[in-house]
Amino acid sequence: MRKSIFVSLFLIFSVLFAVNFEAYGAVNISKLDLSNSSYETREKFYALRDLLDEGLISYDEYDNKITELIVTLQTNMRQSTATAALDDLKNRTSPQRNVSIADAPKNGYIKYQGIDFLTFDELKSLYYEPEPHGYLKEKLYKFYRTPIISNEAYYRGVGPRSLSDPHIGPLLRVASWNIEKSMRIKEAITIFESEYELLDRIDPEKLTAFRKIDTIINQRRKLAQADIILLQEMEIGMKRSGYLNAAKELADALDMNYAYAPAYLEIDPVQLGIEKIYLDKGKLDENATDYYQENKDKFKGSFGSAVLSRYPIKNVVVHPLKFQAYDWYEGEKEKTTFLEKTKRFGGKVAFKSELTREIKHGGRNFFRVDLEVPDIPGNTLTIINIHLEIKCLPEARSKQMKEILSYIKDIKNPVVMMGDFNSAPTDLSPTSVSREVKRGAKDPTNWLKGAVTTFTGIGFVLNTTRGVTNAVKNFQNPLAADIPILAPNKVKDMFDTIENFRFSDGGAFDFRGDSKRSVNGKSGKLANSNQKDLKAFKTSFSVKRTIAYVIGKYRLDWVFVKSYLKDPLNENGPYRLAPHYGETLSELNDSLRVKVSDHNPNIIDLPFSEPKKFEKELANKGLLFFH
């Protein structure tokens, strides 16, 4: 009898929450409590989730099986617990689309949702057993799929700014900044908040003809005016960043809503007090050990990304990518081989950039935030915050990007995909001699080098000339031609994938670039959304010490926008919500006595209306179009 009542109520709730079912399609595991269920039931639940994640069963099949499990669970629980489990069914979302509007008040948005962080002892146990079972396995599953959501600024009455430009009219400005390990989040806040404090931090010796005070002040103003800010390398509860919730600190300072998505947990044994640091002669280095060891009462170890917004947050999706290009636990834990030591030694000599072990649990993730933006059709703007793997070859990053694109294909509203793509041509992961040999053997370019050396007698000259020519061709330009074997550009595949990608409604990412819509009058692919420089694109990342001010700089951070364009290069297509004046704010960061980050912020402007009417008005007044 009890079972039949439960099933009847379940069917009623299925009808009442049909919209949520269609949008998300499975049980909200962040709300489902299995702690009182049997070991057998929990293992069945985990097995079903694994099958779904691997694409071996459909969402419908998953729903049916989970429903059967919940019914079984209900019959073995006290009535009070059964009622709570029944309430959980109202919050049905996909295991990979974990949360949001189900918990919101009627006709509103979630005011605040937190994360169940791991305790210090749980983090220590994770170092010893990175694939735990039982309650910790379940807790980790929820942790990596449950974002922090705060609309507290919205409930305080905060709204977006009213920005406008004479050339394109009312606009929305979006910014992105990888603030290195959140170590200088306080300095970043100061720059956002105060022009006076910025001026006090500028190093006069760094000012040049291309890095003037008025340019720096103008860039700070543009950054501070952004209504949406994407952040990478946001930490919570880490010693090096003052045990702060970095994203919350900046959100509170700017009076913005925010969403935070955890990607990794830092579990290095030195941080956890498991391992000590010794000098070369084997003597304990007490100062270094004490310096790096974390405070167990404050340590959370969370490393991830965030989206800050003056618009209310109505939906957040976060989950680990299926394809992880690098294992931050096993890869960092391995004893470094001779070749890797050579690389690291060379790195210290050439770039004076500290490279250290970073043992982590977790992986790169998919992070989507839907914002309520009333000035656009459908009232929804989707933000995709990107932070791809750095310790891998370009082919692996391309694979991660293809996976991310598969998750957003059915989005019909405008999309801003922005962040740290780590689009370097190199692999910084720990390396063994055998691994390097295998990679070299598989690379046809190396076959060509060998053949030229063997048959020409002047192989060194020819190979060096070809290598330098190819390096110049590819320098800061992932769009350069990829000529297999002869002159490869392995980074290009990811950009080709994005350019050729089509949403299910036929929409495309905007790759246009014309002089009147770029920030500096440059033209060419992507010039409207990503600032071009004298040679290709303006760099957004730099190691601590470059060689000849050039070697050691890369363009890693990118902006891609889906508006209402069907052809990514159609200059006669619509420009409403299309990217305008993409700018990399290098002068702002590079002019400081101490840089805020090794990455520079990027901004983009999106006009709410078709800007052509504003262009016509300017033309009628005899004004030139420039920015």
Side-chain angles (χ1 to χ4, degrees):
M1 178 64 178
R2 183 181 296 175
K3 181 176 179 179
S4 62
I5 293 174
F6 179 88
V7 173
S8 298
L9 289 172
F10 174 79
L11 292 174
I12 293 172
F13 283 130
S14 298
V15 175
L16 291 175
F17 293 86
V19 174
N20 282 347
F21 285 11
E22 180 180 355
Y24 303 109
V27 173
N28 184 345
I29 52 88
S30 71
K31 299 294 180 183
L32 187 59
D33 183 6
L34 296 176
S35 59
N36 293 324
S37 61
S38 68
Y39 173 82
E40 182 182 1
T41 300
R42 289 199 301 271
E43 289 304 305
K44 286 181 180 178
F45 182 77
Y46 296 138
L48 284 170
R49 288 195 311 210
D50 291 341
L51 289 173
L52 179 66
D53 288 346
E54 294 170 9
L56 299 179
I57 60 174
S58 67
Y59 282 110
D60 288 339
E61 291 172 319
Y62 176 85
D63 274 353
N64 293 335
K65 295 293 185 182
I66 289 296
T67 300
E68 292 174 8
L69 274 180
I70 293 176
V71 172
T72 302
L73 175 63
Q74 186 271 342
T75 60
N76 296 322
M77 296 165 65
R78 299 191 311 274
Q79 182 60 44
S80 59
T81 309
T83 301
L86 185 59
D87 289 338
D88 290 332
L89 290 173
K90 299 177 184 179
N91 300 319
R92 291 165 64 92
T93 61
S94 164
Q96 295 185 338
R97 297 191 172 189
N98 184 33
V99 229
S100 65
I101 53 178
D103 294 328
K106 282 189 176 181
N107 302 318
Y109 313 97
I110 293 175
K111 186 173 183 179
Y112 182 80
Q113 169 182 283
I115 288 178
D116 186 11
F117 290 99
L118 275 67
T119 67
F120 192 80
D121 287 338
E122 287 170 339
L123 290 168
K124 287 179 71 173
S125 70
L126 198 58
Y127 170 72
Y128 290 113
E129 189 178 5
E131 296 183 7
H133 301 282
Y135 87 94
L136 188 52
K137 177 180 180 179
E138 181 184 344
K139 187 172 184 177
L140 280 169
Y141 190 91
K142 295 178 183 179
F143 176 79
Y144 290 125
R145 292 162 176 79
T146 305
I148 293 176
I149 302 176
S150 172
N151 277 307
E152 292 170 301
Y154 167 79
Y155 282 102
R156 289 193 299 268
V158 175
R161 302 175 185 272
S162 298
L163 296 179
S164 187
D165 181 278
H167 302 103
I168 63 176
L171 62 91
L172 167 64
R173 180 166 296 153
V174 186
S176 178
W177 199 356
N178 180 328
I179 301 178
E180 183 185 7
K181 296 181 174 67
S182 301
M183 291 186 293
R184 298 193 177 277
I185 190 66
K186 289 292 189 182
E187 289 84 347
I189 290 171
T190 298
I191 288 174
F192 272 97
E193 287 187 315
S194 172
E195 181 178 308
Y196 174 80
E197 291 290 343
L198 167 67
L199 294 174
D200 190 50
R201 284 169 165 74
I202 290 176
D203 183 348
E205 294 184 1
K206 293 183 178 180
L207 298 177
T208 66
F210 299 100
R211 196 185 292 160
K212 300 178 180 179
I213 284 288
D214 57 345
T215 300
I216 297 166
I217 292 174
N218 188 44
Q219 288 187 351
R220 190 215 73 85
R221 176 184 57 81
K222 290 179 179 179
L223 181 64
Q225 289 175 339
D227 278 323
I228 302 169
I229 304 172
L230 288 72
L231 301 166
Q232 300 84 41
E233 298 200 18
M234 289 291 100
E235 295 186 342
I236 299 179
M238 293 285 293
K239 188 174 186 177
R240 63 193 175 204
S241 50
Y243 294 110
L244 300 172
N245 177 341
K248 182 180 186 302
E249 291 289 323
L250 184 55
D252 287 349
L254 302 181
D255 210 7
M256 300 177 78
N257 309 300
Y258 81 98
Y260 173 82
Y264 293 97
L265 287 166
E266 303 269 355
I267 55 170
D268 193 281
V270 171
Q271 294 171 307
L272 298 173
I274 298 171
E275 184 180 294
K276 299 184 184 300
I277 300 175
Y278 292 90
L279 300 172
D280 291 340
K281 295 182 179 180
K283 183 180 179 181
L284 174 65
D285 189 336
E286 294 183 2
N287 291 333
T289 298
D290 291 342
Y291 178 81
Y292 286 106
Q293 188 171 333
E294 301 280 350
N295 183 322
K296 66 179 182 180
D297 296 323
K298 297 179 179 179
F299 186 61
K300 298 289 188 293
S302 184
F303 181 93
S305 300
V307 173
L308 278 56
S309 171
R310 291 190 173 90
Y311 294 94
I313 298 167
K314 61 182 184 179
N315 182 47
V316 181
V317 179
V318 55
H319 60 80
L321 295 178
K322 294 177 182 177
F323 176 68
Q324 295 297 332
Y326 180 71
D327 187 331
W328 281 82
Y329 180 81
E330 294 295 343
E332 295 290 295
K333 200 175 178 183
E334 289 178 355
K335 185 176 180 180
T336 310
T337 64
F338 172 78
L339 184 57
E340 177 61 11
K341 285 180 181 177
T342 302
K343 275 190 173 182
R344 291 189 176 181
F345 177 75
K348 288 180 180 178
V349 170
F351 299 123
K352 301 188 186 301
S353 177
E354 184 180 1
L355 295 172
T356 59
R357 182 183 68 188
E358 295 181 90
I359 298 178
K360 302 179 185 182
H361 185 280
R364 303 293 175 175
N365 62 8
F366 172 71
F367 184 20
R368 165 182 172 176
V369 177
D370 293 333
L371 303 174
E372 182 78 19
V373 182
D375 295 310
I376 63 177
N379 298 338
T380 301
L381 175 68
T382 294
I383 303 296
I384 306 297
N385 193 341
I386 297 291
H387 195 188
L388 300 182
E389 186 55 68
I390 183 61
K391 296 195 174 188
C392 66
L393 295 171
E395 294 90 335
R397 279 188 290 276
S398 182
K399 188 172 180 179
Q400 286 188 326
M401 177 49 57
K402 289 172 184 176
E403 181 180 344
I404 289 171
L405 293 175
S406 73
Y407 296 140
I408 68 175
K409 185 175 180 64
D410 293 331
I411 298 177
K412 294 180 171 57
N413 51 265
V415 176
V416 175
M417 185 170 71
M418 196 170 181
D420 181 3
F421 288 70
N422 272 323
S423 51
T426 56
D427 171 15
L428 300 179
S429 60
T431 308
S432 65
V433 173
S434 60
R435 187 181 180 195
E436 288 291 317
V437 170
K438 288 178 181 178
R439 282 182 174 173
K442 293 178 181 179
D443 190 345
T445 303
N446 289 331
W447 303 347
L448 177 63
K449 289 181 182 178
V452 169
T453 300
T454 301
F455 295 109
T456 65
I458 54 170
F460 176 78
V461 174
L462 293 179
N463 283 328
T464 301
T465 302
R466 184 173 56 84
V468 170
T469 302
N470 195 46
V472 171
K473 170 179 71 72
N474 295 341
F475 184 69
Q476 312 309 349
N477 186 13
L479 305 180
D482 177 24
I483 306 172
I485 304 178
L486 291 174
N489 174 16
K490 296 181 180 180
V491 180
K492 188 173 187 290
D493 179 69
M494 181 171 71
F495 290 81
D496 287 345
T497 296
I498 297 171
E499 181 180 357
N500 295 327
F501 175 75
R502 295 294 180 272
F503 291 83
S504 58
D505 63 359
F509 284 111
D510 195 325
F511 267 62
R512 293 176 292 188
D514 55 89
S515 58
K516 66 181 181 180
R517 301 182 197 279
S518 67
V519 72
N520 55 2
K522 299 286 184 179
S523 60
K525 273 189 181 182
L526 288 177
N528 294 351
S529 48
N530 298 271
Q531 184 175 354
K532 301 199 83 171
D533 209 344
L534 297 176
K535 171 70 174 74
F537 292 91
K538 192 172 183 180
T539 59
S540 64
F541 168 84
S542 174
V543 297
K544 289 179 174 58
R545 298 269 183 99
T546 60
I547 295 177
Y549 299 99
V550 175
I551 307 301
K553 288 187 173 184
Y554 300 96
R555 175 80 186 192
L556 301 184
D557 306 84
W558 297 88
V559 184
F560 298 95
V561 178
K562 176 210 177 192
S563 54
Y564 303 102
L565 192 66
K566 304 296 183 182
D567 178 348
L569 295 171
N570 182 10
E571 294 186 1
N572 296 317
Y575 280 94
R576 183 182 186 185
L577 286 175
H580 285 69
Y581 316 134
E583 185 173 1
T584 300
L585 310 182
S586 302
E587 292 77 8
L588 172 63
N589 191 32
D590 291 343
S591 67
L592 303 175
R593 286 194 298 273
V594 180
K595 293 172 62 172
V596 170
S597 175
D598 50 4
H599 288 253
N600 297 319
N602 290 274
I603 59 172
I604 193 73
D605 288 348
L606 310 175
F608 283 118
S609 303
E610 183 61 50
K612 292 178 182 178
K613 65 178 182 180
F614 296 97
E615 298 171 24
K616 187 174 181 180
E617 290 175 5
L618 288 173
N620 290 337
K621 294 177 181 179
L623 299 176
L624 294 176
F625 193 107
F626 68 94
H627 195 262

